[in-house]
Amino acid sequence: MGEKISQLRNIKRILIANRGEIAVRAIRSIRELGGESIAIYSEGDKNSIHKDLADFSICVGGANPKESYLNIPSILSAVEVSLADAVYPGYGFLAENPTFVALCERSNITFIGPSSKTLEIVGDKAKAREAAIRANVPVIPGSPPVKDLDDAIKIARKIGYPLLIKASAGGGGRGMRIVNNEKELIKLLPIAEREAEGNFGDPTVYLEKYIKNPKHIEIQILADKYGNVIHLGERECSIQRRHQKIIEEAPSPFLTDDIREEMGKVAVRFAKEVDFVGAGTVEFIVDENKNFYFIEMNGRIQVEHPITEVITGVDIVSWQLRIADGQPLTIKQEDIKQKFHAIEFRINSEDPESFVPNVGKIEKLYIPGGFGVRVDTHIYQGYVIPAYYDSLLAKLIVFGKDREEAIRRGRRALKELVIEGVKTLKDFHLKLLEDEEFLNGSYTTNLVDKKYLKET
Ligand code: ADP
Ligand code: ADP
Ligand code: MG
């Protein structure tokens, strides 16, 4: 019934400015809504499945991301020749790049995400922090952008050590340095600024008190173009190595209903402060007394969005498309219920003890299934992993009626998973599912680095 009629009114042909599993994820929602998908790919991604799954595909340049997935002129040309009317950014690459978004706006191309004005703020951690302060959202004791070393020393004396030097433009766990005393600050500040300039093209850094043993808990936001903003509850992402998430779960075993509700309200308030439109996530650090502090907003889809989708029944990527199409949110805050418990395991091509990435050919692959199991991936048997991109091969998502069932299902599904030819995190995840702190829910962001990381 009605399968030929598109559910999209204003955007019809959508170019996906990304690769890997998130490109596949986007193609699925675009097709279900009746839109057309255009994949872009690099010379290093000629064997990538996203290119075959899309309705059309265009090569945009060399394997190095700078020549392809970050190559703005080449991507805009692809939009033009393919007659696409919208761009889906995914995560990473150009997803939070206000320059790219402003160019789309000027050319009348719908960017499926917030405005360039919003991204000028949320894509910059120091500016986002200032917006949080304006909106009366609790932040970690810290500083505005550091002017010079004297300024930094003065502020650091006020905040107290240990603290973090953070790159305003940082992301993906990169651009952060722990500083334990003034001597280290003097030594590390210029290095941090140089690194920020080299890695993110912006030397701006700021200081933030380093919270010991915190939890990372974030709130998923959906906002339409008419000022309706709701949240879909939280995800706990405290299982991290080197400040990057590897297991996420929802709901968080640590939150009480009161704090959950309070965090949701605060996140919505922040989103309204920055005129947020689309799907985004407000990230918080939560200390052992359950005080929560804003750290940043990701103005884009997040890797771990499926755990929220499976416990609430809300298709977040479809809503990104509908919102960009100009449709109003039809879900109300009171409709959102966390009906199940879900866990996501990032299956990265990394050594399960050192977390060092490796590449190779997928010689054998068996993907688990059954009740309560979802796998989002772009890999297939025979696929050769290119060396240029991040190590995420697949996301294994399990859900059950409660946390215990989700954990049991996680063990079962991980044991079924077969990936031969490259080392993956599978065995690490199985170990973690026997860890006492994970099982009782008390784990914090330091667990993996403290207990499981073997330096090479
Ligand atoms: P990114 O943009 O790289 O995601 P975030 O600011 O979100 O940067 O921080 C990533 C991770 O680093 C957090 O999840 C947390 O583990 C750690 N972190 C960030 N800020 C602090 C802080 N002030 N104190 C302790 N840990 C922090
Ligand atoms: P999430 O917040 O969705 O969990 P991650 O921090 O794991 O996302 O990052 C997802 C991907 O996006 C990674 O490949 C990461 O390197 C990339 N990424 C995230 N933020 C940035 C940024 N500011 N600059 C460059 N790459 C980024
Ligand atoms: Mg973050």
Side-chain angles (χ1 to χ4, degrees):
M1 284 225 316
E3 59 267 27
K4 291 254 163 61
I5 299 171
S6 176
Q7 310 231 324
L8 300 169
R9 294 280 163 271
N10 299 304
I11 55 176
K12 304 234 174 310
R13 193 173 274 193
I14 299 154
L15 181 134
I16 300 149
N18 217 302
R19 63 178 301 282
E21 69 85 21
I22 198 64
V24 172
R25 172 71 187 88
I27 291 165
R28 288 178 173 150
S29 274
I30 292 167
R31 185 157 290 151
E32 285 173 11
L33 289 176
E36 282 179 324
S37 55
I38 318 277
I40 60 165
Y41 64 97
S42 74
E43 276 160 20
D45 261 342
K46 284 190 177 142
N47 300 315
S48 185
I49 201 81
H50 78 282
K51 138 179 188 281
D52 299 333
L53 286 176
D55 294 316
F56 306 95
S57 65
I58 301 176
C59 184
V60 290
N64 185 327
K66 285 196 179 126
E67 295 168 19
S68 47
Y69 302 107
L70 289 171
N71 183 343
I72 295 178
S74 181
I75 292 173
L76 290 176
S77 309
V79 172
E80 203 169 293
V81 300
S82 64
L83 301 176
D85 42 32
V87 173
Y88 183 84
Y91 51 72
F93 300 125
L94 298 173
E96 291 168 285
N97 184 317
T99 309
F100 176 67
V101 178
L103 286 167
C104 290
E105 287 163 354
R106 242 178 278 160
S107 322
N108 258 330
I109 301 160
T110 302
F111 177 79
I112 302 174
S115 69
S116 59
K117 245 177 96 201
T118 295
L119 277 180
E120 293 274 0
I121 302 170
V122 302
D124 178 306
K125 287 183 207 279
K127 286 191 187 139
R129 194 185 141 81
E130 282 159 25
I133 294 168
R134 280 200 303 278
N136 208 9
V137 167
V139 295
I140 297 177
S143 77
V146 167
K147 287 193 219 106
D148 52 37
L149 187 58
D150 284 346
D151 181 47
I153 291 174
K154 244 187 264 156
I155 300 169
R157 282 185 188 157
K158 250 191 254 158
I159 306 170
Y161 294 91
L163 48 82
L164 276 175
I165 307 175
K166 278 188 161 182
S168 266
R174 288 158 58 240
M176 266 180 291
R177 289 265 191 169
I178 301 175
V179 177
N180 291 300
N181 51 53
E182 199 163 298
K183 210 172 133 204
E184 283 183 18
L185 179 67
I186 294 168
K187 190 175 134 211
L188 291 175
L189 186 75
I191 299 177
E193 288 175 329
R194 262 201 312 278
E195 278 177 355
E197 170 80 65
N199 291 327
F200 313 109
D202 174 2
T204 310
V205 299
Y206 65 104
L207 306 178
E208 205 170 78
K209 176 107 189 142
Y210 181 67
I211 310 285
K212 282 192 188 142
N213 290 313
K215 283 185 164 272
H216 172 118
I217 300 177
E218 58 188 34
I219 304 283
Q220 174 70 53
I221 294 287
L222 278 182
D224 67 16
K225 293 181 176 172
Y226 312 101
N228 302 305
V229 186
I230 62 168
H231 71 85
L232 306 184
E234 86 282 11
R235 295 185 283 264
E236 161 139 18
C237 316
S238 306
I239 300 294
Q240 307 182 344
R241 52 101 181 73
R242 302 186 188 111
H243 303 305
Q244 246 204 325
K245 304 156 189 168
I246 36 183
I247 298 179
E248 303 92 350
E249 66 174 317
S252 163
F254 185 66
L255 290 191
T256 59
D257 283 343
D258 288 355
I259 294 175
R260 170 173 295 121
E261 207 186 309
E262 184 59 26
M263 287 178 79
K265 278 189 190 148
V266 167
V268 166
R269 192 157 81 226
F270 180 83
K272 286 186 172 162
E273 172 69 27
V274 297
D275 296 323
F276 195 81
V277 171
T281 300
V282 183
E283 296 193 331
F284 296 96
I285 286 282
V286 186
D287 72 15
E288 49 201 0
N289 300 316
K290 298 196 169 69
N291 299 307
F292 59 88
Y293 306 94
F294 171 90
I295 48 170
E296 67 159 342
M297 180 176 200
N298 291 320
R300 55 168 167 85
I301 193 75
Q302 276 193 306
V303 175
E304 58 274 21
H305 74 277
I307 57 175
T308 300
E309 294 186 323
V310 299
I311 71 163
T312 61
V314 176
D315 183 331
I316 299 172
V317 175
S318 284
W319 270 110
Q320 287 185 289
L321 299 165
R322 286 175 189 276
I323 289 167
D325 190 50
Q327 300 178 26
L329 269 176
T330 51
I331 328 165
K332 302 236 165 343
Q333 189 62 59
E334 59 267 27
D335 302 334
I336 302 299
K337 299 262 164 358
Q338 297 177 318
K339 294 179 201 123
F340 306 103
H341 194 99
I343 310 175
E344 172 181 275
F345 304 93
R346 296 194 192 192
I347 311 296
N348 295 353
S349 52
E350 289 171 23
D351 182 293
E353 294 195 335
S354 65
F355 300 98
V356 173
N358 68 117
V359 290
K361 183 175 175 186
I362 310 285
E363 299 288 356
K364 189 172 170 196
L365 178 68
Y366 180 77
I367 290 182
F371 189 81
V373 176
R374 164 176 168 180
V375 178
D376 280 19
T377 186
H378 58 292
I379 66 168
Y380 54 87
Q381 196 154 313
Y383 176 64
V384 180
I385 302 163
Y388 297 90
Y389 313 109
D390 79 25
S391 57
L392 183 67
L393 294 183
K395 306 188 302 205
L396 169 61
I397 299 110
V398 294
F399 59 101
K401 65 180 190 309
D402 53 24
R403 189 167 191 259
E404 192 192 330
E405 191 173 275
I407 288 172
R408 287 172 180 278
R409 189 158 286 144
R411 293 191 188 112
R412 184 276 282 175
L414 280 163
K415 282 186 187 140
E416 275 177 26
L417 172 72
V418 177
I419 299 181
E420 283 174 16
V422 282
K423 290 184 192 167
T424 75
L425 293 186
K426 167 180 162 163
D427 288 345
F428 164 80
H429 292 312
L430 280 167
K431 258 192 310 197
L432 223 275
L433 286 183
E434 305 302 332
D435 184 283
E436 204 184 316
E437 284 175 58
F438 183 77
L439 294 177
N440 69 28
S442 69
Y443 63 93
T444 66
T445 56
N446 301 317
L447 175 71
V448 177
D449 290 348
K450 192 177 68 197
K451 207 149 132 191
Y452 293 95
L453 182 65
K454 269 208 196 123
E455 292 295 344
T456 48

